[in-house]
Amino acid sequence: MTLTLLAISVIEILENEWLGLIASAFVLISFLTSNQIKTRIINSIGCVIFVVYGFLLPTYSTAFMNAAMLVVHAVYLIRYFVKKRKAKKPEMLEKDKE
């Protein structure tokens, strides 16, 4: 019985480790991109996976730090897309005048 519980625990740990490796891969890939927006989007995916990973282990410091990074990425992405949308509005007004 003890051996079975040990085997189940090892399998659960390995499952969580794969999740951590996948999250790490997303973070690594995000730093290989040259576009800041792509970097933030890919890194955000890694952060979401790390939040799940942090709660499954449980390592709440990992989950909290990645949740905070996710908020930072979201703020920058929202600012970028709002700024980009505002920049397109004058072009749309000029097209309407024609």
Side-chain angles (χ1 to χ4, degrees):
M1 175 123 173
T2 307
L3 186 60
T4 305
L5 291 175
L6 179 64
I8 291 171
S9 296
V10 169
I11 290 170
E12 287 177 358
I13 290 170
L14 290 177
E15 286 176 359
N16 290 339
E17 289 302 314
W18 279 107
L19 192 61
L21 290 171
I22 291 168
S24 296
F26 272 100
V27 172
L28 176 65
I29 291 167
S30 75
F31 289 117
L32 297 174
T33 62
S34 59
N35 183 329
Q36 183 179 8
I37 301 307
K38 286 181 184 176
T39 299
R40 290 191 183 277
I41 292 170
I42 295 169
N43 197 286
S44 294
I45 295 168
C47 286
V48 168
I49 297 170
F50 265 128
V51 169
V52 172
Y53 175 74
F55 280 111
L56 287 176
L57 279 184
T59 52
Y60 299 115
S61 60
T62 300
F64 176 76
M65 190 274 304
N66 281 281
M69 284 300 301
L70 192 57
V71 170
V72 170
H73 288 316
V75 167
Y76 277 97
L77 287 170
I78 290 168
R79 284 183 184 172
Y80 171 78
F81 287 114
V82 166
K83 186 176 179 181
K84 187 175 178 180
R85 188 172 185 183
K86 284 182 181 179
K88 284 187 176 182
K89 282 187 178 180
E91 293 173 7
M92 296 174 97
L93 291 174
E94 288 177 14
K95 288 180 183 178
D96 289 340
K97 289 179 183 178
E98 295 174 359

